[in-house]
Amino acid sequence: MSGRNRTIVSRGNPPWWHQTTTALLCGSVLFAIPAIGCAQQTDDGAYRLSPVIVNAQAAPDDDADTVVARELWVGGKVATSIQDTPASVSVITQQEIEQRGAQTTEEVLQYTPGVVTDYYGTDDRNDYFQIRGFQATTYRDGMTLGSMRGVREDPYAYERIEVLRGANSTLFGPADPGGSVNFVSKRPRFERFGNGFLSYGSFDHKEAGIDVGDVLDSDQTLAYRFTGKIQDSDREYDHSKNDNGLLMGGLTWEPTDQTSATLIVDYLSRDDTPNSGGYPLDREYDRDDFFGEPDFNDHEVDRTSVTGQLIHDFENGLTLRANVRYSDLEDDFQYVYITDSAARTGTLLDRDYFGTDTDAHEFIGNTILQYDASFGDIDSSTLGGVEYRDASTDTQSIYGDAASIDIANPVYSGGPDNLTPYRYENQDYRTRSVFLTQNLSFYDRFVVSAGVRNDSMDLSSEGESYGTAFDDSDDFSETTVRGALTYIVSDELSTYISYVESVAPPTIGVTPERGKQQEVGLKYSPDGMKAQFSAAVYNLERDDVTIAVVQDNGAIDQQTVGESRARGLDLEAKAELTDSLSIVGGYSYLDTEVLSGTLNSGASIEGNDFAIAPKHTAMLWGYYTLPGEKMSVGLGARYTDGYYFDAANTSKSDSATLIDAAFDYRIVRNTDFTVNVSNLFDEQHVVGSGTANYYNPGREIRAKVSYHW
């Protein structure tokens, strides 16, 4: 056995997070990432672990006090070694999120290589980010958010956020090829803990939050957790608001060492302004300008989710997992926005209005069986499962001309009088999936992984558009495969080569977009230091690509551009260099090309770069605790190369570097005063442009007092 293998012997009453056997620890990992991780129980009760499990005792929040995660919890299951995962992955831990004071998913992902965020500026309806030049799919505890994906998630609800770069439909089903972002929910822990905070900052930002938990019975079988947050704030532009709230409760029941059941109920509410109305194209305007309508631009979101998870270990190499979630969403917005053009003269600008009222319901669940066995120097893990998803969405959409506005002397005229919807639509999306993964580990050095998945999808859409009724349906059956080989060079170094496929969530009457990626990667975790360094080069191709193109009248049209390709390099470093100094950094090189494609206008875009695909991005965040451990400072820089705003490559952004900073002072034991500043020098540039310009967020300062116990 190499030094990477180890034995773990249970002594006394083990903590909740490793009361299941190592076979359980091996199991659900492989549904998330096809890297072998199984164990064999010896006669004396110890466990022999294959190379890829480096910490069988990892808890879900084991990285709450470090920026260097060792395990990957994709799928909300158990820990697997990041070091030996045959994919390019990043984990943003709770510690890193708190250091940087990140408030949104976009802010959380800003220091992650391969990811571009916030390219729609003051359009605040959704979180906007792309991975490796393509859209990314979002998950919560390994199950797709689907019809819930347009909602801005609150990072305070999650233990950590994980990023998988590249295609992965074999793991999770229909997904965009750029990669995936997985939110890992906060769960009960079998110990007493808590923290609370009060915060105030720019734009009259007021916020309070609490996160507490404890054991409920003397037998240590039932634990709870409650998380809540409320925010009352404006945005950086006039006539805006940014109010939201979160309530989340969880119960975990572990009657035996082999069985664990968790129930999580959460409610997310938002009442904010969706859009500033955009900014004219002729020059740079102040960020606080507002060219929408104060009494009309509004966005309200209410979402309730109920999640259940069950794990049972049969103690014979067989493990059962069941996961289920039901979500109910109301998402309503409307706004007035300007429609400018380069040919415009004078100060009078046309405006349009747009909005949707959406009711969505989603049920998703899976059942997974895994069997682990060992044959001498060969470890085997076989995983099979089924998944079912049923989602429905009812939408009413409004669109039309709004009153013009004089940008030299804005006078607001109120919202449009006639808001008769031009489109009613009811969509149903049903998916039935079956998947199989086989993993083999040879002599503690080679790990071979292979997987296949089939997704059968039934889609239907009925309603009325501009007075014309429609009733359409379609069905698809898509199969994806993946394979990987990992070589464990030493305890510190591993390398891999992989091939993965993806199929994007399809649209009625449109050929599903398929992606495929080849990747070679290297990971280094030096002994004697808590650090993780990684490098990956890849070739990612996508066929039958459909993109959103803004028309002259402001409407958005979906256009198929054919075939495209992205090639690049991702480098990442996360390290605690000393007990006082940690760094998080990365660099990405991205070379994109449209191999074939023609817009609806007839213009060829063959040879063009992707929109929103900077060739170079780089980021570095450092955090230093001064001697005495009462004061800490953080400083970060984010560089983004210039990129094209549109598929036609007619206009391009400037390159930009933004600086962030943090300060923390320990007032008394367990009580901290923190100040975070994003975009320290208030640098301003255009991040998105069509019929209007949109700027990057300006400087924002937030102060917080927090207490931990």
Side-chain angles (χ1 to χ4, degrees):
M1 297 290 172
S2 68
R4 184 179 297 270
N5 297 307
R6 63 200 68 181
T7 57
I8 297 175
V9 181
S10 175
R11 294 183 175 89
N13 185 25
W16 73 272
W17 35 262
H18 62 94
Q19 290 180 340
T20 54
T21 66
T22 308
L24 170 59
L25 287 171
C26 303
S28 60
V29 173
L30 301 175
F31 168 57
I33 291 294
I36 180 71
C38 66
Q40 180 182 16
Q41 188 171 11
T42 62
D43 292 337
D44 62 0
Y47 290 91
R48 170 182 173 273
L49 305 181
S50 69
V52 298
I53 297 295
V54 297
N55 185 5
Q57 301 187 29
D61 61 337
D62 68 333
D63 54 18
D65 57 357
T66 179
V67 299
V68 185
R70 295 295 195 184
E71 283 77 36
L72 192 68
W73 286 79
V74 174
K77 310 298 193 306
V78 295
T80 184
S81 164
I82 292 176
Q83 174 75 5
D84 301 316
T85 296
S88 181
V89 301
S90 296
V91 176
I92 302 95
T93 68
Q94 185 176 354
Q95 173 84 339
E96 183 182 341
I97 293 172
E98 291 179 354
Q99 280 185 5
R100 297 196 277 110
Q103 294 282 308
T104 67
T105 302
E106 291 172 307
E107 292 176 358
V108 169
L109 300 177
Q110 284 173 344
Y111 284 83
T112 303
V115 181
V116 177
T117 70
D118 207 16
Y119 43 82
Y120 284 134
T122 53
D123 188 331
D124 295 305
R125 291 170 293 161
N126 306 314
D127 288 313
Y128 298 103
F129 49 86
Q130 293 188 164
I131 302 177
R132 292 183 171 176
F134 293 100
Q135 293 295 321
T137 303
T138 52
Y139 300 85
R140 179 175 177 179
D141 301 324
M143 295 184 287
T144 180
L145 287 169
S147 55
M148 308 291 129
R149 66 188 297 181
V151 177
R152 300 195 85 172
E153 298 295 328
D154 193 326
Y156 195 64
Y158 303 113
E159 294 280 7
R160 48 152 67 180
I161 296 178
E162 303 170 330
V163 178
L164 282 78
R165 287 175 281 270
N168 51 50
S169 286
T170 309
L171 304 179
F172 300 120
D176 295 299
S180 301
V181 174
N182 181 55
F183 303 94
V184 180
S185 299
K186 289 182 175 177
R187 288 176 174 76
R189 292 148 41 187
F190 280 79
E191 62 180 347
R192 185 175 184 271
F193 68 93
N195 68 77
F197 72 87
L198 295 173
S199 176
Y200 183 79
S202 302
F203 320 124
D204 199 24
H205 177 99
K206 300 177 286 291
E207 186 178 4
I210 188 170
D211 183 22
V212 295
D214 203 350
V215 180
L216 289 173
D217 65 332
S218 58
D219 294 331
Q220 301 281 306
T221 63
L222 188 65
Y224 83 93
R225 186 168 191 166
F226 173 77
T227 304
K229 196 190 84 167
I230 186 170
Q231 175 179 301
D232 182 350
S233 178
D234 298 331
R235 296 195 186 277
E236 60 183 334
Y237 47 88
D238 295 337
H239 309 292
S240 64
K241 57 183 175 180
N242 183 19
D243 305 334
N244 61 69
L246 169 72
L247 294 174
M248 181 173 174
L251 286 174
T252 293
W253 180 49
E254 293 190 350
T256 70
D257 290 353
Q258 291 74 43
T259 304
S260 175
T262 297
L263 176 69
I264 300 173
V265 180
D266 61 275
Y267 171 71
L268 178 69
S269 175
R270 294 190 179 279
D271 183 11
D272 56 18
T273 310
N275 199 300
S276 68
Y279 301 89
L281 303 175
D282 55 344
R283 62 176 177 84
E284 186 173 275
Y285 287 74
D286 292 336
R287 284 193 179 93
D288 56 4
D289 287 341
F290 181 80
F291 298 113
E293 282 294 333
D295 297 328
F296 187 80
N297 288 37
D298 184 68
H299 187 196
E300 295 183 5
V301 172
D302 290 282
R303 187 186 70 184
T304 302
S305 294
V306 181
T307 303
Q309 298 172 329
L310 173 67
I311 303 175
H312 180 70
D313 174 20
F314 292 96
E315 296 191 288
N316 59 0
L318 188 66
T319 304
L320 168 70
R321 288 166 202 82
N323 305 280
V324 64
R325 184 178 68 233
Y326 174 78
S327 299
D328 183 271
L329 168 71
E330 293 182 7
D331 184 357
D332 306 329
F333 72 85
Q334 58 187 25
Y335 61 89
V336 168
Y337 62 99
I338 62 173
T339 56
D340 197 8
S341 70
R344 184 254 308 169
T345 59
T347 59
L348 191 66
L349 264 69
D350 292 334
R351 295 190 301 173
D352 292 319
Y353 67 86
F354 177 64
T356 65
D357 286 351
T358 301
D359 292 322
H361 312 275
E362 182 175 79
F363 173 85
I364 184 171
N366 57 47
T367 301
I368 306 165
L369 279 173
Q370 176 156 341
Y371 182 69
D372 299 318
S374 183
F375 309 95
D377 291 318
I378 301 175
D379 291 324
S380 171
S381 186
T382 305
L383 180 148
V386 294
E387 185 168 278
Y388 177 78
R389 174 174 172 248
D390 191 349
S392 63
T393 304
D394 292 311
T395 305
Q396 299 183 47
S397 301
I398 57 173
Y399 172 74
D401 295 329
S404 300
I405 192 169
D406 187 343
I407 58 175
N409 183 28
V411 176
Y412 304 111
S413 54
D417 295 328
N418 183 11
L419 293 179
T420 302
Y422 74 91
R423 183 180 178 91
Y424 303 87
E425 184 175 20
N426 173 263
Q427 291 180 308
D428 285 304
Y429 193 116
R430 186 171 300 170
T431 306
R432 297 169 299 277
S433 308
V434 58
F435 48 89
L436 178 68
T437 299
Q438 177 63 54
N439 304 271
L440 295 170
S441 174
F442 299 89
Y443 305 103
D444 302 328
R445 288 299 178 192
F446 296 95
V447 182
V448 178
S449 306
V452 61
R453 176 171 174 137
N454 177 263
D455 295 280
S456 297
M457 296 162 279
D458 296 325
L459 287 68
S460 65
S461 176
E462 61 178 343
E464 182 179 300
S465 181
Y466 291 104
T468 301
F470 60 88
D471 188 352
D472 303 316
S473 63
D474 210 341
D475 61 86
F476 302 88
S477 180
E478 298 291 333
T479 299
T480 54
V481 299
R482 67 178 293 142
L485 172 65
T486 300
Y487 175 54
I488 312 297
V489 181
S490 68
D491 289 354
E492 300 176 290
L493 183 66
S494 65
T495 184
Y496 67 89
I497 182 171
S498 68
Y499 171 82
V500 291
E501 294 182 346
S502 70
V503 56
T507 303
I508 293 174
V510 178
T511 302
E513 301 171 349
R514 292 190 65 94
K516 56 185 177 181
Q517 177 183 275
Q518 303 86 31
E519 181 174 293
V520 177
L522 185 73
K523 298 182 181 182
Y524 176 60
S525 182
D527 287 339
M529 177 187 297
K530 186 176 288 187
Q532 184 77 56
F533 304 95
S534 65
V537 293
Y538 61 89
N539 178 72
L540 176 57
E541 298 177 2
R542 190 176 191 182
D543 298 329
D544 301 309
V545 179
T546 302
I547 62 172
V549 178
V550 180
Q551 304 301 302
D552 291 339
N553 63 359
I556 297 177
D557 183 29
Q558 298 294 323
Q559 300 185 10
T560 300
V561 300
E563 184 180 357
S564 57
R565 179 184 65 202
R567 292 174 173 172
L569 164 71
D570 292 320
L571 303 175
E572 184 175 48
K574 295 199 174 191
E576 295 182 352
L577 301 178
T578 69
D579 292 340
S580 302
L581 177 63
S582 65
I583 62 166
V584 172
Y587 166 78
S588 289
Y589 171 78
L590 177 62
D591 180 26
T592 63
E593 182 181 1
V594 177
L595 300 180
S596 64
T598 303
L599 299 180
N600 284 355
S601 63
S604 172
I605 56 173
E606 182 177 340
N608 283 13
D609 291 345
F610 295 0
I612 323 296
K615 192 173 292 290
H616 303 279
T617 55
M619 60 290 298
L620 180 64
W621 170 264
Y623 198 78
Y624 178 67
T625 300
L626 279 67
E629 299 184 352
K630 292 180 67 73
M631 189 180 301
S632 301
V633 292
L635 188 65
R638 297 175 274 131
Y639 171 78
T640 303
D641 202 6
Y643 54 79
Y644 290 105
F645 294 128
D646 57 356
N649 289 185
T650 58
S651 58
K652 193 174 184 179
S653 73
D654 295 327
S655 60
T657 301
L658 304 179
I659 305 297
D660 306 314
F663 171 80
D664 182 272
Y665 180 74
R666 179 66 50 84
I667 302 174
V668 295
R669 182 182 179 184
N670 297 331
T671 304
D672 288 83
F673 172 73
T674 304
V675 177
N676 287 93
V677 185
S678 59
N679 193 2
L680 179 64
F681 299 110
D682 200 26
E683 197 277 338
Q684 180 172 338
H685 63 280
V686 177
V687 293
S689 183
T691 58
N693 282 337
Y694 293 90
Y695 303 133
N696 66 300
R699 178 172 52 231
E700 189 166 355
I701 304 172
R702 288 177 185 165
K704 180 174 73 173
V705 176
S706 57
Y707 176 68
H708 304 265
W709 66 91

